Amino acid sequence: MEIDEAREVRTTCPYCGVGCGVLAKATADGQVSVRGDPDHPANFGRLCSKGSALAETIDLDGRLLHPEVHGRRAGWDEALDLVASTFSQTIAEHGPDAVAFYVSGQLLTEDYYVANKLMKGFVGSANIDTNSRLCMASSVAGHRRAFGSDTVPGTYEDLELADLIVLVGSNLAWCHPVLYQRIAAAREKRPEMKIVLVDPRRTMTADIADMHLAIAPDGDVALFTGLLAYLGQHNALDRAYITTHMTGFGQALFAASALDLAGVAAATGLSEDELGRFYSLFAATAKTVTVYSQGVNQSSSGTDKVNAIINCHLATGRIGKPGAGPFSVTGQPNAMGGREVGGMANMLAAHMEIENPDHRDRVQRFWNAPAIAGKPGLKAVEMFQALADGRIKALWIMATNPVDSMPDADAVEAAIKACPFVVVSDVLAQTDTVRHAHVRLPAAAWGEKDGTVTNSERRVSRQRAFLPVPGEARPDWRIVAEVGKRMGFGEAFSYATPGEVFAEHAALSGFENDGARDFDIGAYAGVDAEEYEALEPFQWPAPSPATPLWPAGHLPRKGGDRLPPRPSPITNNAGDMRASKLPISLLAGEMSGRTEGGAQARHQSDEHLRAGQRLEGNTTRFFADGNFYTPDRKARFIAIRPTTEVRTSPDYPLILNTGRIRDHWHTMTRTGKSPRLSQHIAEPFVEIHPADAQRFGIGDADIARVSSPRGDVLVRALVTARQRQGSLFAPMHWTDQFAARGRLDTLTAPLTDPISGQPALKHVAARIEKFAAKAFGFAVTRRRPEPDTAAYWAVAKCKGGWRVELAFAEDDIDWAGFAGSLFGVSPGAEMLAYHDRDAGQHRIAAFDGDQLSAALFVAPGPVAVSRGWAAEQLSADHVDRRGRLAIVAGRPGGIDVDRGAIVCSCFGVGANQIAEAVRGGCGSVAAIGTALHAGTNCGSCRAEIRVIIDAQSLQAAE
């Protein structure tokens, strides 16, 4: 692609599962700008801080631009031939289960589809799993147990229509900010809307909540089984809906009644009064949406948590109706698309089941495949354990960083290092995983590739290229297809464009479906290149006009039963084969062996099913009138008995909860490039309650060692009453590329949910102790620093260069020599220094002409220098000596302004500026927005702004 003139391209954000529309503009000189798409029905123009900063993340610094084989540059033919021949030889010698793919929710649907097709249909193994296993596998399992299908019943519109929103294990303000802002906007219009937050931490999402239930870790099953019992005791059930559309209610209610209110209080850590107020509010509010995320899913009881929530909605008939239903919000941009194509080890394509022989036959015939996988493959944790014990001998990792994100990460790294053959497709030349690859394949990045993604409300949107593909990078679907050809499957992988892949994917979804399966986008099976390019966001189901929307005997299509079929790019002469009725087994956990049922849903009108037309206002909900995807088309109540598990011990007395922060994403391969996103939080940290901090001798801003039986990390301590006593919280983003010892998942155990296989990343036995640092440092430099001699370091991008936090186990250090090594400046650089050896204070600055090259500040305790102000000096001119001396002094001089710690990343507004505005009369978040613009873009900083306002108001009152 060559950029001749600036043009705005409609695409989709590559971060979380909200699926926001983005308008990206690239100019001929390489300048890129982004803004929210006001017409996209997911975000209506809103973007979060990460989405707003996308233009800062698309440079070519650190990019992998050419294939590499054993550490040397190679051509594509050599690299692909080696991958194909090694996989083929391994399969021939050890069988198809000796190879595996580990893929990602960052892939586009077209990439996912081709990889899944190659592994399950042509290699003949189901050993393809995804990092989505780490974030939403329990939701999939819970959906399948209850509904018979992995169906998200509701839509984003329900969040605005609900009278009660229950947020469970979801820090929506930081992890899904655009949805949070949609709720906040609806709340402003309807102040009577109630919001309940269920979370061990008082996160920034609590700012909008009427009630915060600081639940004990993994207390969710007890909370919602207790709610089901309460609903039964207080006659708050929809008995007609239960009788007509459910089975298993009696058993579920009996199991839920195992704990009385006092027992639920003991299991949840909540008071009986808190439980009573929440239960009565839920019972009295018909329009209730329960939103849940990683706090529910990332648990050894995650599937039971999901079903405990769903049970309450089924029992009250609050599902599939405007403003009512259980709602799983996904963490990745295309975790949903991966589910649709069968990109998990226990699923087939198009929401078909790998355990069902009729489904396997159908997919095999459609693909004309030589050997379809006959059993589920290894889920993520099992896969890397098989890698460690030698069962898997060749592994291909795509668009993910398991050395940092998998539990027991050191063991995962050791397994990858020991594997005979590892291929990694990635956009970066250096990640903690790429460094162990025998073959490195350069993949196209966001802005360079074309395809589709599906968001949390089942809305399919296009990602479009607006930049040329750099170097020799290629899109993932093409790389996988080329390997498939070289393995002897040329005809099946002869795609010329991603649009052809999408058309095949759509055709498979409608193949022998006849309205019997939930996922059906057969209306798009015939899209040509022009229609694919113009494809507008749409929600599924979107069946072919030639396909009935409901099974025989159910309601006909509005306006007629059938329309003339559109041509399909797939030629398949196989005859129609109806599924035989097989017994359902709840013991199997995920409805294995079931036949398809049907669902009555509200569908888009026929004229909106054509490519190139917008679908605004046309939403689809499932299950308001039953018709689930089970053999008898009735939903299953799941009988769940709450249990408690004690993981702490005298050696590890605390519970570590891991998660995400506002402005970073996964392992920072993208957000780590953005100075704006590194302003808010620039180093790994641990939150600890003040009482626990006192107990363990931890001070605010100390360096703390957090340990588990598997390892330890060094992180900055943040003492806060927002953290539950007895628990710690730390983010998972930092890697060896950004910190000395910040790989948090080296602490987590490979403990998984027995049904979903999702690891328990939020309930880890841990301990904390103060790291006995003898000296602390902070530096800003133009070049990326390599402070390997420091016991603790964390680097972050800033405007004009880098900033680095430091801590040292010894203080007998030649600080001038250390600074020279850290700075890497030319011999002719002007050096200014201040040393007070008795006080342990050292400040050194290097100048190249009028520009600051680097500055180092050393102190015996945490360095009291404004980070934002110091970083800004890299971009400023320093002509006079007074200004240079101010840098050595470590504080602004003259008219310089110290903004303080950045609160609003979108507009670069700091805490000092907000505090000053409050003192000047701005007494509300809205007033701060008017004065400083802070909080007026993505809004995810509004809670922090309110904290500053409250603190200033308290000081004024005193």
Side-chain angles (χ1 to χ4, degrees):
M1 169 189 291
E2 292 187 2
I3 302 174
D4 297 323
E5 58 183 26
R7 64 189 185 98
E8 206 161 45
V9 175
R10 277 196 160 90
T11 185
T12 308
C13 181
Y15 288 117
C16 76
V18 176
C20 296
V22 174
L23 295 176
K25 180 183 289 186
T27 62
D29 63 358
Q31 298 298 310
V32 173
S33 62
V34 299
R35 63 186 181 98
D37 183 350
D39 296 324
H40 196 288
N43 60 312
F44 298 107
R46 295 183 180 95
L47 287 180
C48 73
S49 58
K50 293 185 289 291
S52 298
L54 275 167
E56 296 179 18
T57 69
I58 56 178
D59 60 59
L60 300 184
D61 290 348
R63 283 292 296 271
L64 179 63
L65 297 176
H66 310 281
E68 296 180 7
V69 173
H70 299 300
R72 61 171 176 81
R73 181 171 171 175
W76 270 108
D77 285 338
E78 179 188 356
L80 295 173
D81 285 346
L82 179 60
V83 174
S85 63
T86 304
F87 270 76
S88 295
Q89 182 178 351
T90 303
I91 294 165
E93 294 178 0
H94 304 284
D97 289 334
V99 301
F101 292 172
Y102 186 64
V103 296
S104 168
Q106 302 288 298
L107 292 176
L108 303 183
T109 298
E110 292 76 4
D111 306 324
Y112 248 133
Y113 180 87
V114 177
N116 184 62
K117 179 180 178 180
L118 177 58
M119 180 56 75
K120 290 195 177 121
F122 291 80
V123 171
S125 170
N127 280 350
I128 175 171
D129 211 47
T130 168
N131 62 8
S132 300
R133 179 72 59 187
L134 311 182
C135 72
M136 54 76 210
S138 292
S139 288
V140 175
H143 289 161
R144 294 176 72 181
R145 285 208 298 183
F147 309 146
S149 60
D150 177 22
T151 310
V152 176
T155 73
Y156 293 162
E157 183 185 40
D158 295 325
L159 303 176
E160 297 160 329
L161 298 176
D163 294 325
L164 170 64
I165 296 177
V166 184
L167 302 171
V168 189
S170 171
N171 186 6
L172 212 65
W174 276 20
C175 299
H176 300 92
V178 169
L179 290 187
Y180 176 83
Q181 287 306 314
R182 288 185 66 164
I183 293 172
R187 174 77 170 272
E188 288 183 4
K189 294 177 181 177
R190 293 192 299 118
E192 66 275 13
M193 175 193 286
K194 300 298 182 184
I195 299 172
V196 175
L197 174 66
V198 182
D199 198 304
R201 302 165 61 217
R202 185 170 179 82
T203 66
M204 288 301 168
T205 303
D207 179 65
I208 203 175
D210 299 281
M211 185 187 306
H212 172 219
L213 302 179
I215 195 168
D218 282 341
D220 311 85
V221 170
L223 178 67
F224 284 94
T225 55
L227 174 57
L228 182 64
Y230 179 95
L231 296 171
Q233 294 161 5
H234 290 78
N235 197 29
L237 304 171
D238 187 336
R239 295 193 179 276
Y241 190 78
I242 293 170
T243 301
T244 306
H245 302 302
M246 309 289 133
T247 63
F249 176 69
Q251 298 93 318
L253 186 61
F254 178 79
S257 302
L259 291 180
D260 59 12
L261 193 63
V264 175
T268 60
L270 303 172
S271 69
E272 292 186 30
D273 177 65
E274 287 176 307
L275 292 170
R277 287 188 290 118
F278 170 55
Y279 287 174
S280 63
L281 180 62
F282 189 102
T285 312
K287 296 176 73 173
T288 297
V289 175
T290 302
V291 177
Y292 62 91
S293 191
Q294 313 302 18
V296 168
N297 294 331
Q298 289 180 336
S299 168
S300 58
S301 57
T303 304
D304 280 351
K305 290 184 182 184
V306 171
N307 286 117
I309 291 169
I310 291 173
N311 280 351
C312 296
H313 280 270
L314 293 176
T316 53
R318 299 173 187 171
I319 188 168
K321 299 174 181 177
F327 203 137
S328 162
V329 290
T330 53
Q332 295 197 80
N334 203 29
M336 290 282 282
R339 289 148 71 170
E340 293 160 8
V341 304
M344 302 178 78
N346 56 319
M347 302 170 70
L348 275 181
H351 281 198
M352 287 183 271
E353 297 173 348
I354 203 165
E355 305 93 340
N356 188 315
D358 293 329
H359 290 191
R360 295 197 303 270
D361 175 74
R362 178 180 298 126
V363 175
Q364 185 172 7
R365 286 185 288 108
F366 182 87
W367 282 341
N368 194 24
I372 199 78
K375 65 181 188 301
L378 298 171
K379 298 169 185 174
V381 171
E382 300 168 332
M383 180 180 290
F384 286 98
Q385 290 170 339
L387 196 69
D389 64 29
R391 283 175 288 157
I392 291 177
K393 304 178 186 304
L395 174 67
W396 191 348
I397 299 167
M398 305 177 200
T400 187
N401 201 0
V403 166
D404 298 315
S405 58
M406 283 291 295
D408 201 8
D410 279 345
V412 169
E413 181 169 31
I416 292 173
K417 289 170 68 174
C419 181
F421 189 66
V422 176
V423 182
V424 176
S425 303
D426 209 314
V427 300
L428 291 185
Q430 292 295 327
T431 72
D432 292 355
T433 299
V434 167
R435 63 191 176 191
H436 302 303
H438 301 98
V439 179
R440 303 174 183 179
L441 302 176
W446 181 82
E448 302 161 3
K449 59 184 181 179
D450 278 293
T452 56
V453 294
T454 305
N455 73 359
S456 295
E457 64 167 351
R458 293 174 278 104
R459 190 176 300 279
V460 179
S461 300
R462 286 275 279 111
Q463 272 194 20
R464 292 181 173 89
F466 55 88
L467 294 171
V469 178
E472 296 181 72
R474 294 181 178 180
D476 290 282
W477 67 265
R478 183 180 170 195
I479 297 171
V480 178
E482 287 297 325
V483 170
K485 292 177 185 177
R486 285 165 166 81
M487 292 178 71
F489 313 123
E491 185 176 351
F493 295 92
S494 59
Y495 308 107
T497 67
E500 292 179 10
V501 180
F502 178 80
E504 182 177 313
H505 163 58
L508 176 55
S509 75
F511 181 57
E512 298 181 354
N513 191 330
D514 296 326
R517 301 190 300 274
D518 66 334
F519 178 65
D520 187 346
I521 58 170
Y524 297 93
V527 294
D528 57 24
E530 182 179 350
E531 290 174 319
Y532 182 73
E533 176 58 29
L535 190 67
E536 295 286 353
F538 69 92
Q539 278 183 298
W540 62 259
S544 166
T547 301
L549 283 170
W550 292 275
H554 287 257
L555 292 175
R557 178 192 290 272
K558 183 184 294 186
D561 191 37
R562 292 180 183 270
L563 293 173
R566 300 181 69 183
S568 169
I570 303 300
T571 301
N572 197 311
N573 297 319
D576 187 31
M577 184 171 187
R578 303 298 179 195
S580 59
K581 292 199 179 231
L582 298 173
I584 186 169
S585 173
L586 291 178
L587 295 178
E590 294 194 31
M591 309 295 287
S592 66
R594 67 167 176 80
T595 56
E596 296 105 341
Q600 176 179 330
R602 182 162 58 88
H603 289 270
Q604 297 97 333
S605 58
D606 298 334
E607 63 270 17
H608 284 126
L609 291 176
R610 303 188 184 279
Q613 296 180 359
R614 285 200 172 271
L615 302 175
E616 298 128 312
N618 294 277
T619 58
T620 305
R621 296 179 177 89
F622 283 86
F623 309 139
D625 297 311
N627 298 314
F628 296 88
Y629 292 90
T630 57
D632 58 5
R633 300 195 182 120
K634 293 186 175 183
R636 276 28 179 178
F637 280 99
I638 305 300
I640 302 167
R641 290 185 179 274
T643 59
T644 57
E645 182 179 353
V646 177
R647 294 181 189 161
T648 55
S649 69
D651 289 335
Y652 298 97
L654 300 171
I655 293 170
L656 172 65
N657 172 14
T658 73
R660 297 173 176 170
I661 61 173
R662 190 188 78 188
D663 290 354
H664 277 308
W665 174 255
H666 283 201
T667 58
M668 294 166 58
T669 52
R670 181 181 288 116
T671 56
K673 287 173 165 280
S674 168
R676 188 194 318 185
L677 297 178
S678 296
Q679 293 181 106
H680 184 237
I681 298 175
E683 61 184 318
F685 67 92
V686 60
E687 286 184 357
I688 182 170
H689 188 273
D692 291 325
Q694 183 176 20
R695 173 186 174 191
F696 294 102
I698 305 295
D700 203 23
D702 279 347
I703 303 300
R705 186 190 307 275
V706 181
S707 308
S708 82
R710 284 171 169 74
D712 62 271
V713 296
L714 295 178
V715 293
R716 186 77 67 177
L718 175 60
V719 180
T720 172
R722 286 180 170 267
Q723 178 59 47
R724 178 186 173 89
Q725 191 170 349
S727 295
L728 307 171
F729 171 82
M732 52 78 68
H733 306 293
W734 275 267
T735 71
D736 286 350
Q737 310 300 313
F738 292 96
R741 297 177 66 178
R743 291 173 53 232
L744 193 70
D745 276 314
T746 59
L747 309 186
T748 56
L751 175 67
T752 62
D753 180 283
I755 298 171
S756 69
Q758 182 159 354
L761 301 178
K762 292 186 169 289
H763 192 164
V764 181
R767 67 170 176 247
I768 189 170
E769 58 192 309
K770 181 177 179 177
F771 173 70
K774 298 291 184 62
F776 292 77
F778 172 72
V780 293
T781 69
R782 285 190 170 276
R783 70 160 202 170
R784 178 167 179 147
E786 297 180 4
D788 295 338
T789 57
Y792 170 87
W793 58 263
V795 300
K797 198 79 181 291
C798 65
K799 187 178 181 181
W802 297 83
R803 52 185 283 188
V804 55
E805 300 286 347
L806 302 156
F808 303 85
E810 304 294 337
D811 59 0
D812 185 17
I813 294 173
D814 174 8
W815 293 112
F818 176 81
S821 173
L822 185 72
F823 294 174
V825 295
S826 63
E830 178 189 356
M831 306 291 288
L832 294 180
Y834 166 84
H835 299 283
D836 184 342
R837 289 175 176 80
D838 292 338
Q841 298 276 355
H842 305 271
R843 298 166 189 171
I844 305 169
F847 295 88
D848 183 2
D850 295 338
Q851 299 295 307
L852 174 68
S853 295
L856 171 66
F857 307 88
V858 178
V863 176
V865 170
S866 171
R867 271 58 175 167
W869 171 82
E872 288 171 359
Q873 304 316 300
L874 292 171
S875 302
D877 290 329
H878 302 283
V879 178
D880 63 274
R881 189 169 181 81
R882 179 180 296 181
R884 298 185 181 208
L885 291 176
I887 294 174
V888 177
R891 58 181 181 269
I895 62 172
D896 286 352
V897 175
D898 177 9
R899 293 183 293 168
I902 295 299
V903 174
C904 175
S905 295
C906 295
F907 294 104
V909 180
N912 291 351
Q913 293 171 288
I914 296 170
E916 181 64 27
V918 175
R919 290 191 291 269
C922 294
S924 67
V925 174
I928 293 293
T930 300
L932 302 175
H933 300 295
T936 60
N937 184 42
C938 76
S940 55
C941 64
R942 291 168 66 90
E944 292 168 272
I945 294 172
R946 186 169 285 108
V947 169
I948 296 172
I949 293 172
D950 292 344
Q952 291 296 315
S953 300
L954 183 62
Q955 289 180 16
E958 293 174 345

